Amino acid sequence: MKRSIITTGDGSKTIQITDWNEQYHSTHGAIQEAYHVFIAMGLSHHPGSELRILEMGFGTGLNALITLKETMTGQRRIHYTGLEAFPVDEQEWSQLNYVEQLQDPDLQSFYKSMHNAAWEEEVDITADFCLLKKKMRFEDLADEELYDLVYYDAFGARVQPELWEVDCFERVARAMKPGGILVTYSAKGSVRRAMQEVGLKVERLPGPPGKREMLRATKS
């Protein structure tokens, strides 16, 4: 499937799947979207000082990178698990300008270490950020009550509807600890209802630039 590098509205780059006309991040701004959805409405909302985070779709590594950046104050330790069935290769991720756009040159070595980290092994990227990349489909998730926070960043329902249905959210809800939080850029009514059907409490929140709403769900 053909993929190309494009520049989004805030100057940060992302990957576009040409055949699907689908991007890894919002065309209105990859970094803006990631910070709003996953940091402002997710990580910053969770009170824990040591968190296990699950990312559904490791992709370009942007969400992991900005989460690592947030740990550099030394106030939190993160165990970060990213699921990805189709990893981005070096030719692609090396063209992405996230470190430049974040204006933090120290992140370059960490970003490279994330992508070069072995799959299926826990790797300490920094003293406060441990990464585990799993090469697997979302549908194969089998963890139970392990994660405090879930970044649900799958491709949209238009191209992968099976990732936004009850069966998938049942697996995710099972993997979340009681009190765990899930955040996603999606605000579709069908997605909200699927989450509610598996027992999650769902709230609509203001969306990132270019999107009116997003969803945050909590496991009771």
Side-chain angles (χ1 to χ4, degrees):
M1 194 172 294
K2 185 178 179 182
R3 302 197 288 203
S4 58
I5 307 297
I6 65 169
T7 301
T8 67
D10 64 0
S12 57
K13 296 181 184 295
T14 192
I15 298 173
Q16 181 179 59
I17 299 180
T18 309
D19 294 345
W20 286 353
N21 190 28
E22 182 80 359
Q23 292 73 229
Y24 278 63
H25 306 99
S26 169
T27 57
H28 294 279
I31 289 177
Q32 283 184 149
E33 177 192 47
Y35 258 102
H36 180 90
V37 175
F38 302 111
I39 302 301
M41 300 300 181
L43 183 64
S44 296
H45 182 73
H46 200 292
S49 59
E50 183 160 354
L51 299 180
R52 288 194 173 273
I53 297 176
L54 172 66
E55 181 180 11
M56 303 293 279
F58 184 77
T60 66
L62 172 58
N63 297 333
L65 183 67
I66 61 175
T67 301
L68 179 149
K69 182 174 170 62
E70 293 297 307
T71 70
M72 293 177 74
T73 61
Q75 297 177 334
R76 279 186 158 180
R77 175 158 173 80
I78 302 293
H79 301 266
Y80 196 103
T81 299
L83 306 190
E84 181 58 61
F86 304 100
V88 171
D89 62 35
E90 184 173 1
Q91 183 182 9
E92 294 169 315
W93 63 256
S94 63
Q95 296 183 63
L96 302 173
N97 63 345
Y98 302 144
V99 172
E100 174 189 337
Q101 290 291 307
L102 291 167
Q103 299 181 349
D104 189 346
D106 291 342
L107 292 175
Q108 184 61 49
S109 63
F110 301 140
Y111 187 56
K112 185 175 180 180
S113 294
M114 285 178 174
H115 280 288
N116 289 335
W119 292 82
E120 321 303 334
E121 294 181 17
E122 289 191 340
V123 178
D124 286 324
I125 306 298
T126 71
D128 294 314
F129 189 95
C130 180
L131 176 65
L132 171 60
K133 297 189 299 184
K134 292 186 175 184
K135 190 175 180 180
M136 60 183 285
R137 302 183 313 152
F138 296 0
E139 298 95 322
D140 295 329
L141 178 67
D143 294 325
E144 295 188 14
E145 295 194 359
L146 187 58
Y147 302 104
D148 302 286
L149 179 59
V150 176
Y151 295 169
Y152 205 93
D153 201 19
F155 286 123
R158 178 180 62 84
V159 296
Q160 288 193 308
E162 69 277 8
L163 301 184
W164 300 92
E165 295 175 352
V166 170
D167 286 350
C168 212
F169 285 119
E170 279 183 335
R171 292 181 179 278
V172 176
R174 194 180 306 125
M176 295 165 66
K177 294 179 182 178
I181 294 167
L182 179 155
V183 282
T184 181
Y185 65 85
S186 178
K188 286 175 66 71
S190 59
V191 173
R192 175 174 52 83
R193 290 188 292 273
M195 290 181 182
Q196 290 172 330
E197 189 169 332
V198 302
L200 298 175
K201 180 181 178 181
V202 187
E203 54 187 321
R204 295 187 185 93
L205 300 171
K211 196 166 180 59
R212 187 166 62 88
E213 292 182 328
M214 57 165 282
L215 299 176
R216 180 166 64 207
T218 304
K219 181 176 178 178
S220 59

